[in-house]
Amino acid sequence: GAVVSQHPSRVICKSGTSVKIECRSLDFQATTMFWYRQFPKQSLMLMATSNEGSKATYEQGVEKDKFLINHASLTLSTLTVTSAHPEDSSFYICSASRTGLTEAFFGQGTRLTVV
Amino acid sequence: GNSVTQMEGPVTLSEEAFLTINCTYTATGYPSLFWYVQYPGEGLQLLLKATKADDKGSNKGFEATYRKETTSFHLEKGSVQVSDSAVYFCALSLWDGSSNTGKLIFGQGTTLQVKP
């Protein structure tokens, strides 16, 4: 399968600061990337869908001004958590896909802790 | 709407026991179905998939058959090992009217614990 790399794997930040998470598709051009959030011992919830070169589409209830998503190239999407709050502490996972693929490929996830 | 329902865990089995984790879904169109596995502290790994009705996905001794008549995709393994201990997620890909989108809807996950 294709390789998707997510960085960093763990990050600790102070309340009020911003943190950026990168998602890279290493061996294919990802026209679409997805960002999920996973709460402890719960399932993954889709936050947003980003298509290369256009604005992200956010799921209902997700604050787009708080979770900034950029998909500037076919191999990179970023999620920036702005003005981080302890409630934003979670496991964030990206996946990448492209037209014609029947599946999306997942990064290894980022554990964000806001203190 | 689109949704995935898995059996609640945790599931605790002895090594070499038979495993079944039930998964049922509701969906429009022609979704693909997936099982993902998540080991502690890690991301998701695709375990197996099926793209159309009656397809059987298989990998590492795990199997699941896409049953459209019962809207199910149950995961089975004949003999589990301690190393199979993980959380298993059933998922479907959303259909946009002409193709699968890559956007996944996940079940709630089932924790499997295998004891020696």
Side-chain angles (χ1 to χ4, degrees):
Chain A
V3 179
V4 175
S5 176
Q6 195 171 332
H7 177 80
S9 57
R10 291 179 180 272
V11 59
I12 300 173
C13 70
K14 293 184 177 180
S15 290
T17 63
S18 296
V19 60
K20 180 184 287 187
I21 302 169
E22 293 186 348
C23 180
R24 293 182 183 274
S25 60
L26 300 185
D27 54 2
F28 74 105
Q29 293 185 323
T31 52
T32 306
M33 290 188 173
F34 305 91
W35 288 94
Y36 296 84
R37 181 174 180 177
Q38 185 180 29
F39 292 99
K41 298 185 178 182
Q42 295 189 28
S43 189
L44 285 78
M45 300 300 295
L46 181 65
M47 299 176 64
T49 302
S50 72
N51 293 296
E52 185 266 340
S54 61
K55 290 184 178 180
T57 302
Y58 290 81
E59 296 299 306
Q60 190 172 11
V62 177
E63 299 177 59
K64 59 182 180 181
D65 293 333
K66 180 165 188 61
F67 299 100
L68 301 179
I69 291 172
N70 183 277
H71 192 165
S73 77
L74 287 171
T75 59
L76 174 64
S77 177
T78 60
L79 167 66
T80 302
V81 182
T82 63
S83 300
H85 189 273
E87 292 176 349
D88 300 326
S89 298
S90 193
F91 194 56
Y92 294 86
I93 306 177
C94 71
S95 70
S97 186
R98 64 173 170 78
T99 304
L101 288 181
T102 58
E103 66 182 277
F105 299 92
F106 283 82
Q108 61 269 53
T110 297
R111 174 75 60 192
L112 170 64
T113 303
V114 183
V115 298
Chain B
N2 299 283
S3 66
V4 177
T5 302
Q6 289 178 238
M7 63 185 289
E8 289 192 20
V11 174
T12 303
L13 296 173
S14 297
E15 207 164 22
E16 299 184 2
F18 185 87
L19 168 71
T20 299
I21 300 178
N22 289 338
C23 171
T24 57
Y25 67 91
T26 59
T28 56
Y30 304 92
S32 294
L33 301 176
F34 306 86
W35 277 100
Y36 284 88
V37 58
Q38 185 178 36
Y39 297 100
E42 298 184 14
L44 269 68
Q45 299 178 26
L46 178 65
L47 182 59
L48 54 83
K49 68 176 182 180
T51 58
K52 61 183 186 298
D54 299 326
D55 269 3
K56 176 186 285 188
S58 61
N59 185 28
K60 300 180 181 179
F62 291 90
E63 293 184 341
T65 301
Y66 189 164
R67 301 285 189 198
K68 193 169 184 180
E69 64 275 13
T70 55
T71 61
S72 65
F73 193 54
H74 305 319
L75 182 68
E76 297 181 335
K77 186 174 185 180
S79 176
V80 294
Q81 306 299 314
V82 172
S83 58
D84 293 327
S85 298
V87 181
Y88 292 81
F89 291 95
C90 184
L92 65 81
S93 61
L94 294 181
W95 181 262
D96 69 358
S98 60
S99 64
N100 280 295
T101 63
K103 182 188 295 187
L104 300 181
I105 301 297
F106 286 88
Q108 63 270 45
T110 302
T111 299
L112 170 65
Q113 184 176 22
V114 181
K115 295 186 175 180

